[in-house]
Amino acid sequence: MKLWRIVREKKYLLRIFLWINCMILLILLPFSSLIYVNVEKNMFQSEYEGSQKLLSQMKYNIDYLDTMISKLTFSTYGNNDVKALMYLNDEETYDHMNTINKLNATVVANYPFVQSVYVYNNHKKMYYSTFGELYHKDAELDKVLAQNAPIIPLKAIVRKMQTGGTTAGPTYDTVLSYVMFENVDAKGVMDGAIILNVKLDWLVDNIRTINQFDARTQSDLYILDNKNQFIETDTNQMIAENPSAVTIKRAFETSVSQERMHAGESAGFYETEVNGDKLIVSYIYLEKTGWTLLEAKPYKEVYANLKQLMDTIVIITGAVFVGALLLTLSVSRGIYKPVRRLIEQTSPGGAGKEGFLKPGVKDEFSYLTEVYQKSREQLYEYNLEKNNNTSIMKIYFLKKLMADSYSMNAAEFEDVLRQLNDALTKDKPFIICVLRIDEYKKFLSHKSLAERELLRFAIANVTTDALSQISVAQTVDMKDDSLTILLNTADSQENAVEQVEQAIREAQNYMEKHYHITFTATVSTIISEYTAIAAAYNETLANSSYRYVFGTKSVITQAHIDANIENVDIEHVLGMVSKFTDAVPKGHAAKTEERLRELFSQIRQLDYGSIMLVSMQVVHHLKMTIFEMNRTSKEPIAVPARLMSRELYEEETIEQFEGLLLEAVRAIHSEGEEKGIQGNQVVADTIKEIIDSNYFDSSLSAASISDMMRLPAYKLSKIAKIHLGMSIPEYINQVKLHKAVEWMENSKLSIQEIMQRVGVENESYFYKLFKAKFGMTPREYMAKRMR
């Protein structure tokens, strides 16, 4: 029980111990493995180099023989008497017969490795031979030539040749046939050729000699032809009938790519097993003949000392690890000592008392984190209360300054400045900046109170820091969508407004990059007299409305406003309104949209009051146009919902306002489609209302909604995907999850209780949906909010 208590109460100590040992293992095991692999690699490389020397010597001898025979074949082919016999059309004469005798006397007799010479005459379809009868028939040669078509001149062909016996019981020898020809007939048959048949006796003797020279190990040597078939070097014992040799050949065909060998990797090795014994097989490819030489050695002979070395490495590794365990225990206790002391100071029972970890706490650091979170929340509440009082007073003094600076005497003004910021002085000109948070409604709905306070503080702090590079600045959070900045500027700074604009843009970029929030700033002109601050503030606040024209994340100055407002006659703009609405009933969508864009390009050049007036006129005239169209239409057009909504006038920019009107115009011009869309919108709204009102019902589904509305399920699904942007089950899950989040943020209910309230019965399914939506589990979400 004591051991179990130590494991349970000192999880972090155990974790340190295990992590250090894992690190030691991660270092020790690769180090030991590296030693073993390097020894194995060096031994393997040594044996491989020995095998390659042997195979390279064989390759040299075979290549030398191939070159010599090729030259002999070529020189024989160039003999005029041979060519005469090769292309003879008439009856043979004594001279022609004498040519064969000369070949027998000069070539066959002088080169002991030459078995026979054939002269092939295509006109007579026969072989003149120095072996056997003059007119020789070699069915095996015909068969081999047909199988190897097209024939490559002077390329050794391994084949069987009948050298004795009877027709019923022939005997064969293995020979190498070298064919030399120049031309072929229309059927691709050689027009005439010389064939030298070479004995394999010399090659067999050469192999046996090399094997005797390499008698230090038990090894077997094999030769494969260009089709990976064994070249039989001993007629009394066929290699192809040896199961071990067959296994080695099959492993070669599986392990070694012919394309790779032909591409330049002509030598290498591979491993295989024969009757349970592991073999190392070295190979080398002979480019001239297309053959492959294989040498197989037993693995146990190559690595006779490797096992002993490996055992030694294992023993040393084990001894080092045991010593590391003892050392790790001492080191872990030393590392854990500060943690133990901290737990003793924060826990009433101390780390040595049983049960200091509460249920749900993973380890000591989780416990310390929980203690820190509680302390942090208490400190945050205290600081919030303290800071709110300071903030309230600053807002009070700033509002007092903005309201009646013109009636203040110098002493009263200086007292207000001291309350705002001691560094501010009345002896220097002032500039006022009004910052407004963009998309404020979204900001309120998507951020928690703590997040909103943090972002407000960040805007104030970052902007103040940027402006402080120019002069003294004091930022006051007005507790609505705005913050107000009062700053001094030097007397000689004629470009102070431009410097302030640049500093604010830097702050805007920083906030957008790091906090993903934007704000619009409005900068006043330089205020020389403090009594004019109130008027300048009111003007600046009014100018902040021009965010509607310049867009979000803009910096608005009086110079920008003056440059934007051109001499545009409002009556002319109202006339363009009439032209636009006159184009709507004609049904020319492109023309109507073009008129609308031209109209708003002119509206943007008006002052703010005129912009709002003309914008309302556009909406009013568009409504009237639709009503007039409905009077004469058999199928009335419903007024687009956006035109009737108050939210239309709550858009922050004229670009958004124009976009909504453009959507409405497009909808009007799609009369037939619009009716279907409007009908479907009613269905979609009803689906949405049913789900919003019955999300807690676990039996709520697409099928139940289909039964309620008496509409086919496939039609409801199609409408939902178009108007809700998702399927009905997806929307049901979305509503349930959002409701669950509301319960998590505004109640102390457990996850199981919240599941019941949103109508989800399967906990694992709820966790899966929640994590897919919010990127974390419900427990992680609740834990994050508690921090």
Side-chain angles (χ1 to χ4, degrees), residues 573 715 718 768:
V573 177
K715 184 174 182 180
K718 183 176 180 181
K768 179 180 178 182

Side-chain angles (χ1 to χ4, degrees), residues 365-429:
F365 267 89
S366 298
Y367 164 77
L368 292 174
T369 302
E370 186 179 54
V371 173
Y372 168 75
Q373 290 289 352
K374 290 181 180 179
S375 302
R376 184 173 177 267
E377 289 175 4
Q378 294 172 356
L379 184 61
Y380 174 78
E381 292 175 0
Y382 170 78
N383 288 332
L384 184 60
E385 181 180 357
K386 179 180 177 182
N387 292 335
N388 278 344
N389 292 333
T390 303
S391 178
I392 289 171
M393 293 310 298
K394 284 190 175 182
I395 293 174
Y396 165 73
F397 285 111
L398 183 63
K399 286 184 176 180
K400 182 178 180 182
L401 179 63
M402 301 307 176
D404 56 1
S405 64
Y406 55 86
S407 64
M408 289 182 180
N409 55 42
E412 291 175 333
F413 180 70
E414 288 181 348
D415 181 60
V416 170
L417 289 185
R418 280 195 300 274
Q419 300 299 328
L420 290 172
N421 191 329
D422 290 338
L424 292 172
T425 175
K426 70 178 183 63
D427 298 327
K428 294 182 179 180

Side-chain angles (χ1 to χ4, degrees), residues 74 79 90 99 231 278 298 360 379 383 444 582 723:
F74 187 81
N79 188 291
D90 301 323
T99 300
I231 296 178
K278 191 174 182 181
L379 184 61
N383 288 332
L444 291 177
D582 289 344
H723 293 274

Side-chain angles (χ1 to χ4, degrees), residues 431 433 435 460-475 485-488 496 499-507 523:
I431 290 179
C433 301
L435 312 182
N461 190 52
V462 171
T463 309
T464 303
D465 286 346
L467 292 174
S468 295
Q469 304 298 322
I470 303 171
S471 184
V472 178
Q474 176 61 51
T475 302
I485 303 176
L486 181 66
L487 66 143
N488 279 133
Q499 292 182 0
V500 169
E501 180 181 354
Q502 181 62 32
I504 290 176
R505 290 195 185 279
E506 293 176 2
V523 183

Side-chain angles (χ1 to χ4, degrees), residues 551-595:
T552 56
K553 197 191 169 185
S554 56
V555 180
I556 304 168
T557 65
Q558 187 61 49
H560 293 158
I561 295 173
D562 293 341
N564 182 73
I565 299 176
E566 298 183 1
N567 295 324
V568 176
D569 185 7
I570 191 172
E571 295 298 330
H572 171 70
V573 177
L574 290 175
M576 293 182 69
V577 173
S578 299
K579 291 181 180 180
F580 159 66
T581 53
D582 289 344
V584 173
K586 297 178 181 178
H588 299 294
K591 187 70 172 179
T592 306
E593 291 179 17
E594 181 183 353
R595 291 270 179 92

Side-chain angles (χ1 to χ4, degrees), residues 15-30 321 325 328:
R15 192 176 299 169
I16 293 174
F17 180 79
L18 292 176
W19 271 109
I20 294 178
N21 280 294
C22 287
M23 292 301 297
I24 292 173
L25 276 176
L26 287 175
I27 295 172
L28 192 60
L29 290 179
F321 183 69
L325 285 177
T328 300

Side-chain angles (χ1 to χ4, degrees), residues 552-684:
T552 56
K553 197 191 169 185
S554 56
V555 180
I556 304 168
T557 65
Q558 187 61 49
H560 293 158
I561 295 173
D562 293 341
N564 182 73
I565 299 176
E566 298 183 1
N567 295 324
V568 176
D569 185 7
I570 191 172
E571 295 298 330
H572 171 70
V573 177
L574 290 175
M576 293 182 69
V577 173
S578 299
K579 291 181 180 180
F580 159 66
T581 53
D582 289 344
V584 173
K586 297 178 181 178
H588 299 294
K591 187 70 172 179
T592 306
E593 291 179 17
E594 181 183 353
R595 291 270 179 92
L596 181 62
R597 290 192 174 93
E598 291 175 354
L599 170 61
F600 271 88
S601 68
Q602 294 294 310
I603 292 175
R604 285 182 172 84
Q605 300 173 17
L606 299 172
D607 62 84
Y608 179 74
S610 299
I611 289 174
M612 299 308 296
L613 174 63
V614 175
S615 297
M616 288 188 287
Q617 286 290 324
V618 172
V619 175
H620 173 72
H621 282 280
L622 186 57
K623 289 180 183 178
M624 293 300 101
T625 300
I626 296 172
F627 292 152
E628 186 64 29
M629 291 170 64
N630 288 340
R631 288 180 56 194
T632 58
S633 175
K634 294 181 179 180
E635 298 181 358
I637 302 171
V639 178
R642 291 187 180 275
L643 295 182
M644 304 297 294
S645 173
R646 185 188 65 182
E647 295 179 358
L648 180 66
Y649 299 102
E650 294 177 357
E651 297 296 334
E652 288 191 352
T653 66
I654 194 172
E655 185 177 358
Q656 295 170 339
F657 184 89
E658 180 184 359
L660 292 178
L661 283 183
L662 192 59
E663 288 181 17
V665 169
R666 288 170 178 168
I668 292 169
H669 284 107
S670 304
E671 292 186 16
E673 184 180 351
E674 175 64 17
K675 292 176 179 58
I677 292 175
Q678 289 177 352
N680 292 341
Q681 184 64 54
V682 173
V683 174

